Amino acid sequence: MSKLRRVCRVLAVVLAASLLQVVSAGEGVQAADGQDQSFPPPGVYVGTEACVDCHEGFEEQLQQRKHGQTADSRTPMATEGCESCHGPGEQHIELASEEGEGGGLISFAGQSTESRQRENRMCLHCHQGGALMHWQTSLHAADTLACTSCHQIHKPSPVLDRTTQTQVCVKCHTGIRADIYRASSHPIREANVVCSDCHNAHGSAGPASLKQLSVNENCYGCHAELRGPFLWEHYPVSEDCSLCHRVHGSNHAALLTKSAPLLCQQCHQDIRAQGRRHVSRLYDFDFSDTRRRSRFVLGESCMNCHAQVHGSNHPSGAALMR
Amino acid sequence: MQQTNRQHLNRRQAKQPVGQVLTIAFSCLLSGALPASEAPQPEVNEVEIGVGYVSDDSYRFGRYTGLKEEGAYVIGDIKAQKYREDGYNWRLRGTNLGLDSKYLRLDGGKQGSHEFYIEYQKLPNYINDTGVTPFSGVGSSNLTLPAGFDINTNLNQNLAGFDQDNERERYGVGTSIIPRKLRNWNFRADYQHETKQGVNAVGGAMGGSFPGFTSTTTAAILPAPVDYVTDKVDLSLGYAKDKTQLEFTYHMSLFDNQDRSLNWQDPFAPARLGSQALAPRNQFHQLTATAGYELPGNSRMTGVLSIGRMTQDWNFQPYATVPPGFNAALPRDSLDGEVWLKTARIDLTSRPLPKLRLNAAYRYHERDNESSSATYNYFIADSTTAAIAPATNRPLSYRRQQVDLDANYRASQMVSLAGNLGFNGTRREYDNTTANDNDEYTAGAKLKLYPNSELDAELYAEHSRRDVSDYTNTPGISPDVENPALRYYYLADRDRDQIGMRLSYMPYEKITLGFNADYSRDKYNDSDIGLTESKVSSYTWDLLYLPRSNITTRAYYTFEKITSDQAGSESGLLTPDWFAQLEDRFITLGVGGEIRDIRGKMDLGMDYVFSKSTGGSDLRASDTVSSAASLGQYPDLETILNSLKLYARYNYSETLALKLSYWYQRYDADNWALDGVGPTSAPDVLLLGENVQDYTDNVVTASVAYRF
């Protein structure tokens, strides 16, 4: 416990120092990209009519999206129009007029870390509640991912449709792209289960950006029959489903990390009596002996008898056989 | 739906007259100058109707879609929406409407005021249809054998096939309301009702000792009923304004099982009955409060407090289905199971300097199991043999604290450095016995390089060290029933090392190359018996080539290897006398491409995936084990998947298109635990005799898509 106390003391000092620094820093600190953090960004606003003179079709396209609903006073098109998100447009028009090229406003092209941070701030100004409350502390934010890395505003957004969402995620999460083709997997390829069913890509208070506060709570969302609590617990099951399962895909049945009996023998080497040595025995592929060892290996292996591996509520279920 | 955090805009600078003149005078020069890739793409309302044909029966091919039988099926997809100027809208999405795996959702309402949705989803899981069983009553909780059944003489003539499958149906409704006079608040309610029905395979053992019978322990794989109902409710009250966001949520989950137990006749001795408990009815209720606040200096703090309670209190079955006189009285009628889950978390993130980002997080999670504890004089698997020693259940509780500190410093435009420190400590209690406390410390670093606009590179490394105090295999039980040299790997002392790299290279604007490599090793230095080491290594190559604006080609290759070493002691001594190394290798290859707008009318596409998984084992025994001389290695566990999809879309007009597709898939598997294994291949166990379900299947579809 003394180690933990020391760590907590250190953390308290760090937090206090950070708070003191940020509070004393006051308003007006330059953002990482050196840009002023005022909202709306300062400059001359030219109006949506000026934008659509060159950028044809955008206004009509947005009328069929949430951001374009002028009846909702919160939306960009109900306030400063295009410039609500892209910033004041006068400089952009001057550049285009004089030099025949773009620039001079927030383009959401995500060209650099600084520009991504600036672009994200435009989105976060409106989208910071609810499911996005943990964005700033999320893994994606730490990697300086841009909102537009996954979301499209002026085109249909594949990440918002269950049939195309996984393709967006696996562009970066290439390991998952391979895992979902394993012999045993959740129905991710079929889009019956999609990434956002379990994860909040915008960050969460749970591990690995899971929507629930623990791995097990997440799994119980679809597998509530395993929640218990059970009379006879299988302790690793109560702690963490991923101790035995590889949730995105596995070569072994039921998403297990390896097959029985070796899976079980990682933790079970019972020595109580001669008759129980079937737990600690090395089971090889030679079934010709007279001890009839194949019954411990074929079929469901250990689960031929010990079927209630997630826990048992039977008074005779201490060995998970009932 | 998300409530926006909309500040009232300050009065912006008025449009300058000069700006207006410039806009009007020069905008026309730029009209139509946008590249095609930047042009907006409107949402498309489309309904697709057609027919598909499956060439062969295959349960496994149709496992999650329902395409398990040869023959035709209906294609039905819809995506449509309408937004009105007054803010009212509706959105409809439906997929696979002609299949068992259908999805349909309707959203509607007035944006910014009140919205609702209704949703339906059907999720099949067709596991295996090659198993056989002599039992009648498949799908019920009572399995019976035919009169005169004798496993030694008439098993084969009494075997019949059955389907292992289950099907979920989900119905969901929800609403979201933003009060007119409280624009910073929103209220949301969601309800989901799910049924899951089908048949699973469950092992059922029968203990040897029984009046009139002298036999060893036997077992049978039984068709077990699945008949679950789960209801979930989520209520949420949210607030967002300026720098503050709040959310209060209530979550409820009610699970019910229509079958309390599975009862069966022993196929090795039909006069005997077995009974095992199925998943008990349970409930979960949880309250969570989340807050976020923007601090000065580009900083933010978020906090979470949550408390939840899981309960279960189904009445117990008797110890065994044995003749009168053997069954003992239960110490109590039910568990009165109760587990409290408590979570607190606080995060602070800050950019005190333009180039520096700091993160600090503290998390506390507690599982407090207040279920009853009692001693049970149980019987072994419905025999009349009492357990060697009575068993006392020891509910598990634990408290976990985590601290994470991260720093990211952008040294220059080309270099970024990051470091992290972490602590993870867990304290466990098994009823009143404290044991297996562990503390894990982590340190890591990451280097990101951006030497030019064409190349990004990232290197990372991390080391963790976990120490355990008061280790015991069987807390509260003396003497230890497990080998004292055994260490449960999830509790054991462990050193974990991880390294990796990412490369992204764009030599030309039309080509992007990517390379990822990761390596992770867990070493359990103090574990003489049990899992001693595991390693995971992988690398991936990615290629994206865009030869023309309307052509996309891509390819990827992933290799992954998972290796684990474990040791055992057949003799029961403290030193291991056998060793096993398992190695799973995975190769995944993907190639694909699209050609769009051929002559302005046609799109073509192709996707091919090859996936091969090989699981090998190497078993070794020391000289002290008698079986060392005749050790048989397991054959590899292998699966190969080939999947090819070709598709075409011909736009007959602006509103009508014809779609064709062809899908070929072949699955080959070698699984020594199933291949050639019949119902009686293993002595004293009645198996299902199922096979691995290799298949080759072809699917052709033709459909019409109408845009409106």
Side-chain angles (χ1 to χ4, degrees), chain A:
Chain A
M1 277 304 267
S2 62
K3 279 184 190 172
L4 175 60
R5 286 206 190 99
R6 278 201 296 274
V7 171
C8 288
R9 264 194 228 119
V10 169
L11 173 65
V13 170
V14 169
L15 278 174
S18 303
L19 272 174
L20 190 64
Q21 192 277 326
V22 301
V23 169
S24 62
E27 300 278 356
V29 173
Q30 290 292 316
D33 55 6
Q35 298 293 319
D36 193 324
Q37 288 196 76
S38 308
F39 193 91
V44 177
Y45 287 73
V46 298
T48 299
E49 298 80 12
C51 306
V52 298
D53 275 346
C54 296
H55 298 281
E56 296 172 355
F58 283 86
E59 191 174 22
E60 291 79 12
Q61 178 265 329
L62 273 178
Q63 285 170 357
Q64 292 301 310
R65 297 292 299 271
K66 284 177 175 286
H67 287 104
Q69 302 310 305
T70 53
D72 181 356
S73 60
R74 306 168 301 163
T75 64
M77 296 309 281
T79 50
E80 295 298 333
C82 309
E83 294 165 291
S84 299
C85 299
H86 292 281
E90 186 195 38
Q91 186 183 6
H92 173 67
I93 289 180
E94 286 174 2
L95 283 170
S97 307
E98 294 166 8
E99 301 174 24
E101 59 186 37
L105 46 55
I106 300 170
S107 65
F108 293 96
Q111 298 291 348
S112 68
T113 300
E114 289 79 14
S115 62
R116 285 194 292 273
Q117 291 167 359
R118 187 164 49 126
E119 291 154 13
N120 287 358
R121 271 203 305 282
M122 300 305 289
C123 306
L124 288 170
H125 185 77
C126 296
H127 297 288
Q128 199 151 236
L132 271 76
M133 226 183 286
H134 298 278
W135 166 256
Q136 306 255 24
T137 58
S138 70
L139 296 169
H140 282 151
D143 272 340
T144 327
L145 211 66
C147 304
T148 51
S149 300
C150 304
H151 291 281
Q152 305 270 1
I153 302 300
H154 296 296
K155 300 177 182 179
S157 191
V159 77
L160 298 179
D161 189 294
R162 291 181 68 86
T163 61
T164 50
Q165 181 186 105
T166 302
Q167 297 158 22
V168 177
C169 305
V170 300
K171 280 183 183 171
C172 295
H173 298 279
T174 54
I176 307 301
R177 182 180 59 188
D179 283 349
I180 62 177
Y181 285 97
R182 305 286 173 251
S184 173
S185 71
H186 277 106
I188 299 172
R189 284 159 24 213
E190 295 82 359
N192 290 351
V193 170
V194 296
C195 308
S196 62
D197 286 337
C198 295
H199 296 278
N200 183 351
H202 308 106
S204 76
S209 295
L210 290 174
K211 293 162 84 168
Q212 276 68 43
L213 296 170
S214 68
V215 170
N216 282 30
E217 287 175 58
N218 206 84
C219 302
Y220 298 152
C222 290
H223 302 283
E225 69 273 17
L226 305 177
R227 184 162 52 211
F230 296 99
L231 167 62
W232 306 104
E233 292 183 275
H234 193 185
Y235 292 139
V237 172
S238 299
E239 283 213 33
D240 189 342
C241 305
S242 65
L243 288 172
C244 293
H245 293 282
R246 209 163 173 240
V247 293
H248 297 109
S250 171
N251 194 29
H252 304 274
L255 299 171
L256 291 169
T257 55
K258 58 172 74 168
S259 299
L262 288 169
L263 171 69
C264 314
Q265 289 177 312
Q266 289 178 143
C267 294
H268 295 288
Q269 298 277 316
D270 198 326
I271 58 170
R272 275 178 288 183
Q274 185 70 16
R276 294 181 190 275
R277 278 178 57 199
H278 77 276
V279 181
S280 60
R281 179 175 292 136
L282 172 61
Y283 291 102
D284 61 4
F285 199 62
D286 179 6
F287 297 151
S288 61
D289 68 345
T290 57
R291 298 177 191 173
R292 301 179 296 182
R293 294 183 182 184
S294 60
R295 58 196 169 140
F296 300 110
V297 176
L298 296 180
E300 303 288 327
S301 181
C302 308
M303 279 87 73
N304 287 339
C305 294
H306 301 278
Q308 303 294 335
V309 286
H310 297 106
S312 169
N313 205 52
H314 194 290
S316 287
L320 305 181
M321 293 166 71
R322 282 293 178 268

Side-chain angles (χ1 to χ4, degrees), chain B residues 91-113:
Chain B
R91 299 180 301 282
L92 180 65
R93 184 74 173 107
T95 60
N96 296 331
L97 298 176
L99 294 180
D100 292 341
S101 57
K102 49 177 66 73
Y103 175 81
L104 188 64
R105 176 170 170 136
L106 172 67
D107 290 80
K110 184 176 181 182
Q111 184 174 313
S113 175

Side-chain angles (χ1 to χ4, degrees), chain B residues 200-243:
Chain B
N200 274 353
V202 165
M206 295 296 292
S209 176
F210 197 83
F213 298 92
T214 52
S215 65
T216 184
T217 300
T218 59
I221 307 300
L222 310 167
V226 175
D227 197 353
Y228 304 153
V229 177
T230 307
D231 290 287
K232 293 195 284 190
V233 171
D234 286 279
L235 303 175
S236 153
L237 181 64
Y239 171 85
K241 184 179 179 183
D242 297 336
K243 300 178 181 179

